[in-house]
Amino acid sequence: MGEADLAVTANPLQRIPGVAIVLLLLIAVFGVLAPGFVSAANIANVLVQSTLLLMLSLPMTLIIMTEGLDLSMGAVLTLTSLMVAIVSVATGSMVLGFAAAVAVGLAFGIANGCLIAVLGIPPFVATLGTLGVAQGLALIVSDGQSVVGIPQSVSEIYSATLLGVPVPIVLAVLAFLIFHGLLYHTRFGTYVFALGGNREALTYAGLSPTRLLIGVYALGGAMAGVAGLLMTARMNAGHPTAGLGFEFDAIAAVAVGGTSFERGNGWLGGAALGVLAVGVLRNGLNLMALPSSIQVASVGALVIFALFFDGLRSRS
Amino acid sequence: MTDLTKQVFAPRALISGDLLQVFYRLIAALLICLALTFLSESFLTLANVLNVLRQASLLFFIASGLTLVVLTAGLDLSVGANVALSACLAGTVIHQTGSPVLGVFVALATGAVIGLLNGLMVTALRIPSFIATYGMLWVLHGLTYWYMAGEIIHGFPAGFRQIGSGYLFGLPIPVYLMLIFLGIGTMFAQRTTWGQEIYAIGANPVAARLSGIPLSRRLLLVYAVSGTMAGLASIIFLARLNSAEADVGESLTLPAIAAVLIGGTSLFGGVGTVFGTFVGALILTLVLNGMNLLSVNASWQPLVTGVIVILAVWLDKATRRGE
Amino acid sequence: MSVRETIYASLTVLAAVAISTAARADGETIAVFTKNQTNPYFQAVRVGADAAAKALNAKTLHYIPTKPDSIPEQLSQVEDVVVKKTDAIVFIPVDYKAMVPSVEKINAAKIPVVNVTDRSAGGKFVSFVGADDYSLGLETARYLFKKLGGKGNVVIIEGVKGSLTSIDRVRGFNDALKENPGVKLLASQPGNYQRLQALQVMENLMQSHRQIDGVLAANDAMAMGVIEALEGANRTADVTGINGTKEAVDAVKAGKLLATGDYNGFLQGCVGTMIAIRSLRNEPVLPEIVLKPTVVTKANSQPYETPIESRACPAWDEASKLGRN
């Protein structure tokens, strides 16, 4: 759903994306029922808690637009988070730790891209495989234990503020703007759309879909590296299982946000709203102190409902 | 795109590309066995072989139903959670009524209902199977956690437990069940019209619908079968572990999908066999068994599994390139 | 004193008592953090916490990650509770090292917090209530080796790699081994605290080792899995677990399980919550209560058979003496 599509439909209700309606509903309900939901501190919390998922959902949107999937993101995130921890502890430098994380993330991203674009292995399988490799490496380099003693320069990333705004939020907004610009205002962006809907056109134009595809997955890997820094800063530690499962959350957020698995369309704004919806849901339920089993079931219900709602509107 | 007519109307030959792929995989499994026999003296004992077969059967029950779903280019991520809920409900019934038969029925029924709900979400609500079954997974977990409230149901009648741990003429009972369902699954997929229609739907849904195949009904069927097989798996779990907990079967969802993929079934649909899934389950179990026998550090297990998945699918592509 | 002075004095005392009791019968909210919804140990902790709160006229709110043992989720839940500002917190960290920044956040918000079960690697706590995993492992292993007469072959089934409880319990097992040179350790493999995994690991171990006399399992779920594996292969061995769950106690009574180390979740939950409430009411507490290691065997299993829902929380005088000092 590019920006243009929103204007075409006749019914005004159809112009508002399903995820936005869901998000507004959640905010309304929790505003009334959850104590402390509407406070500045809580809003800041929800936004900051969502930054990690946003960092992963942005590249995941692009990947899904190319009719692909990256199941390894959570495991790669775990590994890069460990790299930040191990390298920054060994060298005392946050910058070196960050560089190591991005390097490892890029390596996995490129590996994913090669497996998929060069060897022709389906994305689900290829990234399932690299998930195992990343998870295994995370266990091996950490020997199953948390890595602590992180220099303060790292944890400050999470707690510091820039003009009163928490740094993670600044980074998230920056990342969103960069991806938005990349997707909608550069040629690379048009190529990504083409990778999803019209791959032949790229070859006719003399471009290499292979290299572009590798680029898209490499982007995912690099963002996993950035997210790794944030995660280690947040925990003030590296842990071998901390990030596992994030990829499913990211995929769900992207799908909830309106990006389709089949067509080559994608909506970054939707992915961001999807991330917020999940974050608001969790936060609201925590504040209401509802039993955890209800929290678990609601996440599933949210995902199903959002897509059902979208399906309804696109058919009428 | 391949020729429409050839896809939909040609009967599947007995010696097809699929069968060749399965053959290659069988060779791979045998090579692994050979390597393990050489590396560990305890591998080729009767007891260990039976163990491997029994461990593989747990994986196979879940993966076999899943194969049908993947053949239609779909996915069922809720199978693990399905096993958990079915096991917990069935366990309660066996405890309350003392009747294993009733328990079995409840397990299969729960699995089937969950499968049908998945199918309805995919066909009637038009939700992509990845998301629908992912959402279902969370809902099922929530239900199971709430229902079990952190407790464990344990202690089932000895006769019932034979299903999981008993032997018949020297073979573990789950292995018999595995072979039976392998036969049923293969017959269904290769020899019945419904089976052929499922392949057609996966290969080219538009052509399938145009040629009169009732898409929604067949899709409902495959999801229901996947759910029912998860229900069946839960019975074996109950019998083998002699208990039911909220996270039973959790750890087998991704390995089940891996077994289907290693077995040669394609995520794009239309390609693959139940027998391939059987071999895929065997290969995964052999590798784990080998790592245990050789006392390999447990941290290496996910890595090795990941590499095998990639290798298997890559080999698949490489050998199919001629077709 | 004159009559008037006595009356004034009594009225003042009465007023003071009235005010202080009104302040005390407050219905404080205690946020209780546990690791997951599936492990019965944590359910026992939650039931214990609820029992203590009910007896002392306070309220508990439970925070459990939706993804079992998820560090990011517990981090978020702590942040949400700090915003919500419950009166006190009872805290089991999902990871004893990675949750330290969360504890520091709680400290910064000036919410009193009690550490239960897994001893956190940092942060300020009102108290720590837990069992000593190392001693439990040691005592349980000693019991097994005594039963074996000081000689035989044993295997260890470890817990989750990297978890504090597993590390300490296995350390206890190994130290007991050092005390008993006639006992031979054949293998030490992780079972991830999972029943099925322990079952399959044991099945595979039984292939490589013809004679296994004893099995030290780091928790009860794994011990039960080991027993299923043994029964399935028609072999016998003495198996011990740790946790003291109802299932394990039943198995001990039935003679299938040799013994289980009592990791009394109910008691830890209720004493921890009691301490949290008492500290809010400015009543004296202890900085640490480490429960004495108890091995539950056929001989002493009776008191452990009561289901946790029917158990009562001991009064403070009794509870304060439960520590090893």
Side-chain angles (χ1 to χ4, degrees):
Chain A
M1 203 173 24
E3 320 285 28
D5 291 1
L6 288 172
V8 175
T9 51
N11 184 351
L13 200 64
Q14 280 193 352
R15 241 181 281 163
I16 309 173
V19 63
I21 298 185
V22 168
L23 185 58
L24 283 169
L25 268 172
L26 284 174
I27 294 179
V29 168
F30 287 131
V32 172
L33 292 177
F37 182 73
V38 195
S39 60
N42 191 51
I43 296 177
N45 262 352
V46 176
L47 290 175
V48 171
Q49 286 165 13
S50 307
T51 52
L52 211 60
L53 194 56
L54 185 70
M55 295 292 186
L56 294 181
S57 303
L58 291 171
M60 189 67 91
T61 311
L62 267 65
I63 292 175
I64 293 184
M65 279 169 65
T66 67
E67 295 185 318
L69 212 59
D70 187 351
L71 291 177
S72 67
M73 261 197 206
V76 175
L77 166 66
T78 310
L79 186 59
T80 56
S81 156
L82 271 171
M83 297 275 60
V84 173
I86 295 175
V87 171
S88 67
V89 166
T91 64
S93 157
M94 181 266 286
V95 177
L96 281 179
F98 180 54
V102 175
V104 168
L106 260 177
F108 270 88
I110 295 176
N112 278 334
C114 290
L115 286 171
I116 294 168
V118 177
L119 293 184
I121 299 177
F124 190 102
V125 183
T127 55
L128 186 63
T130 45
L131 181 160
V133 176
Q135 192 180 348
L137 283 175
L139 283 171
I140 293 169
V141 302
S142 64
D143 196 29
Q145 307 240 20
S146 294
V147 175
V148 288
I150 316 289
Q152 212 166 348
S153 47
V154 173
S155 45
E156 260 166 23
I157 303 265
Y158 198 76
S159 49
T161 60
L162 200 63
L163 303 173
V165 181
V167 167
I169 298 183
V170 174
L171 289 173
V173 172
L174 211 63
F176 182 79
L177 289 173
I178 293 177
F179 268 84
H180 197 269
L182 200 65
L183 189 59
Y184 296 116
H185 299 292
T186 66
R187 261 186 298 174
F188 178 73
T190 4
Y191 299 156
V192 172
F193 275 100
L195 276 172
N198 201 351
R199 217 167 277 199
E200 293 86 40
L202 288 170
T203 343
Y204 294 151
L207 298 156
S208 158
T210 310
R211 252 183 272 170
L212 286 167
L213 213 50
I214 295 180
V216 173
Y217 282 94
L219 210 54
M223 285 310 282
V226 175
L229 175 68
L230 273 177
M231 180 167 246
T232 305
R234 185 178 194 206
M235 298 195 296
N236 205 21
H239 188 89
T241 60
L244 298 179
F246 259 94
E247 64 280 354
F248 280 100
D249 291 343
I251 294 172
V254 172
V256 162
T259 302
S260 155
F261 283 128
E262 268 108 57
R263 309 179 288 284
N265 58 10
W267 189 36
L268 274 179
L273 288 179
V275 169
L276 268 179
V278 173
V280 164
L281 177 70
R282 288 236 168 105
N283 172 262
L285 292 176
N286 272 342
L287 289 178
M288 287 174 67
L290 281 181
S292 193
S293 48
I294 294 189
Q295 287 194 31
V296 174
S298 338
V299 174
L302 171 74
V303 170
I304 293 177
F305 182 70
L307 262 93
F308 164 58
F309 200 61
D310 258 349
L312 264 184
R313 295 178 327 122
S314 67
R315 260 184 301 161
S316 48
Chain B
M1 281 264 107
T2 47
D3 184 64
L4 230 68
T5 351
K6 202 164 25 157
Q7 285 279 346
V8 178
F9 294 117
R12 290 195 86 74
L14 196 50
I15 307 293
S16 62
D18 276 347
L19 223 51
L20 204 58
Q21 292 303 310
V22 173
F23 182 66
Y24 288 143
R25 282 162 171 75
L26 220 43
I27 302 278
L30 285 170
L31 282 174
I32 297 179
C33 288
L34 222 69
L36 285 175
T37 316
F38 186 62
L39 289 169
S40 164
E41 55 185 13
S42 10
F43 177 72
L44 208 55
T45 61
L46 182 66
N48 188 55
V49 170
L50 292 181
N51 267 345
V52 169
L53 284 173
R54 184 171 37 206
Q55 288 170 13
S57 70
L58 278 174
L59 198 55
F60 176 72
F61 291 126
I62 303 178
S64 54
L66 199 54
T67 312
L68 291 179
V69 171
V70 177
L71 279 174
T72 67
L75 206 55
D76 187 353
L77 294 170
S78 66
V79 279
N82 187 334
V83 170
L85 185 60
S86 305
C88 292
L89 288 177
T92 317
V93 166
I94 298 182
H95 260 212
Q96 307 279 26
T97 67
S99 158
V101 173
L102 214 53
V104 170
F105 178 71
V106 167
L108 292 174
T110 313
V113 167
I114 295 173
L116 272 171
L117 287 173
N118 278 332
L120 281 171
M121 281 195 285
V122 173
T123 55
L125 301 184
R126 307 278 191 84
I127 301 176
S129 61
F130 189 103
I131 297 290
T133 55
Y134 179 65
M136 176 63 92
L137 180 153
W138 281 85
V139 172
L140 288 176
H141 273 320
L143 273 171
T144 317
Y145 293 158
W146 168 75
Y147 179 70
M148 293 300 283
E151 299 194 353
I152 305 177
I153 305 173
H154 63 272
F156 296 120
F160 174 71
R161 290 169 53 201
Q162 287 297 302
I163 301 179
S165 48
Y167 290 82
L168 195 61
F169 302 133
L171 271 184
I173 295 189
V175 177
Y176 281 107
L177 289 171
M178 172 167 67
L179 293 172
I180 292 174
F181 278 96
L182 177 59
I184 297 178
T186 311
M187 280 295 122
F188 176 75
Q190 312 294 110
R191 295 306 185 126
T192 65
T193 340
W194 284 9
Q196 294 302 290
E197 290 175 346
I198 289 171
Y199 275 100
I201 294 173
N204 195 332
V206 176
R209 186 177 308 151
L210 286 177
S211 62
I213 298 175
L215 236 62
S216 300
R217 264 187 277 163
R218 297 293 171 262
L219 285 176
L220 272 175
L221 178 69
V222 296
Y223 284 97
V225 168
S226 175
T228 315
M229 287 308 285
L232 178 73
S234 75
I235 298 172
I236 313 291
F237 270 93
L238 278 177
R240 188 86 183 91
L241 296 176
N242 199 21
S243 66
E245 318 180 58
D247 57 1
V248 157
E250 182 65 54
S251 52
L252 284 187
T253 310
L254 279 186
I257 298 178
V260 173
L261 297 173
I262 293 177
T265 306
S266 164
L267 286 162
F268 297 118
V271 172
T273 57
V274 176
F275 192 79
T277 303
F278 167 68
V279 180
L282 262 183
I283 291 179
L284 272 176
T285 316
L286 280 170
V287 171
L288 281 174
N289 176 255
M291 289 199 277
N292 273 146
L293 289 178
L294 299 173
S295 288
V296 171
N297 191 336
S299 307
W300 287 88
Q301 287 184 15
L303 203 147
V304 173
T305 318
V307 172
I308 291 185
V309 169
I310 297 179
L311 274 177
V313 178
W314 176 60
L315 277 169
D316 188 61
K317 291 229 81 193
T319 50
R320 268 189 210 268
R321 213 157 276 165
E323 287 176 23
Chain C
M1 275 195 292
S2 69
V3 172
R4 202 187 298 168
E5 283 172 5
T6 325
I7 295 179
Y8 281 154
S10 327
L11 279 175
T12 324
V13 170
L14 272 170
V17 169
I19 293 172
S20 58
T21 22
R24 236 189 295 166
D26 228 349
E28 301 96 327
T29 37
I30 318 285
V32 180
F33 284 81
T34 42
K35 290 193 195 184
N36 60 56
Q37 297 184 71
T38 49
N39 189 333
Y41 172 76
F42 297 116
Q43 179 66 9
V45 171
R46 290 190 285 267
V47 172
D50 291 345
K54 191 152 162 245
L56 292 173
N57 207 17
K59 208 168 76 120
T60 48
L61 294 175
H62 291 291
Y63 287 91
I64 316 166
T66 58
K67 279 198 215 115
D69 299 17
S70 164
I71 296 177
E73 264 192 70
Q74 197 177 60
L75 285 169
S76 297
Q77 286 179 329
V78 168
E79 287 166 357
D80 291 344
V81 164
V82 164
V83 161
K84 201 172 154 68
K85 270 213 164 3
T86 54
D87 296 306
I89 295 178
V90 171
F91 194 64
I92 301 184
V94 162
D95 181 84
Y96 71 108
K97 290 192 205 160
M99 297 311 297
V100 172
S102 288
V103 182
E104 290 168 353
K105 274 205 185 100
I106 299 176
N107 294 150
K110 305 249 191 313
I111 303 177
V113 52
V114 176
N115 189 197
V116 172
T117 309
D118 279 33
R119 201 187 281 265
S120 170
K124 283 201 284 290
F125 293 99
V126 168
S127 177
F128 170 74
V129 177
D132 184 354
D133 289 284
Y134 169 77
S135 311
L136 267 178
L138 186 65
E139 291 305 319
T140 316
R142 278 182 180 160
Y143 187 81
L144 174 68
F145 298 154
K146 210 167 83 168
K147 167 80 166 37
L148 292 180
K151 55 182 180 348
N153 295 336
V154 298
V155 298
I156 293 179
I157 312 286
E158 305 173 18
V160 172
K161 222 166 161 19
S163 82
L164 185 60
T165 50
S166 177
I167 294 172
D168 284 343
R169 289 175 194 180
V170 173
R171 199 162 46 94
F173 293 161
N174 282 313
D175 281 356
L177 274 167
K178 289 193 202 123
E179 292 173 1
N180 288 273
V183 178
K184 185 160 166 249
L185 179 67
L186 296 174
S188 185
Q189 290 258 320
N192 257 354
Y193 282 146
Q194 295 277 330
R195 187 180 308 243
L196 180 63
Q197 230 167 311
L199 191 155
Q200 292 181 338
V201 167
M202 187 65 191
E203 276 181 338
N204 293 333
L205 284 176
M206 285 195 288
Q207 299 315 308
S208 344
H209 305 286
R210 290 285 140 229
Q211 180 74 12
I212 301 179
D213 303 302
V215 182
L216 291 164
N219 84 341
D220 283 341
M222 295 195 302
M224 301 311 293
V226 166
I227 291 176
E228 291 301 322
L230 284 165
E231 286 187 9
N234 254 331
R235 282 168 65 159
T236 53
D238 286 315
V239 183
T240 61
I242 295 182
N243 254 352
T245 59
K246 177 164 192 312
E247 189 189 8
V249 172
D250 287 345
V252 166
K253 232 178 68 172
K256 288 212 263 180
L257 183 68
L258 180 68
T260 170
D262 177 30
Y263 202 61
N264 212 323
F266 178 84
L267 210 54
Q268 290 187 28
C270 95
V271 174
T273 309
M274 226 195 305
I275 292 183
I277 300 174
R278 284 177 69 88
S279 85
L280 284 173
R281 298 177 182 176
N282 288 319
E283 292 167 20
V285 295
L286 289 173
E288 173 173 293
I289 295 186
V290 178
L291 299 175
K292 299 186 188 68
T294 322
V295 180
V296 181
T297 63
K298 212 162 179 178
N300 65 3
S301 64
Q302 187 68 5
Y304 295 95
E305 290 171 38
T306 345
I308 44 174
E309 285 79 11
S310 335
R311 290 194 206 169
C313 214
W316 177 248
D317 305 314
E318 205 192 308
S320 53
K321 300 206 188 70
L322 288 170
R324 273 183 322 169
N325 12 299

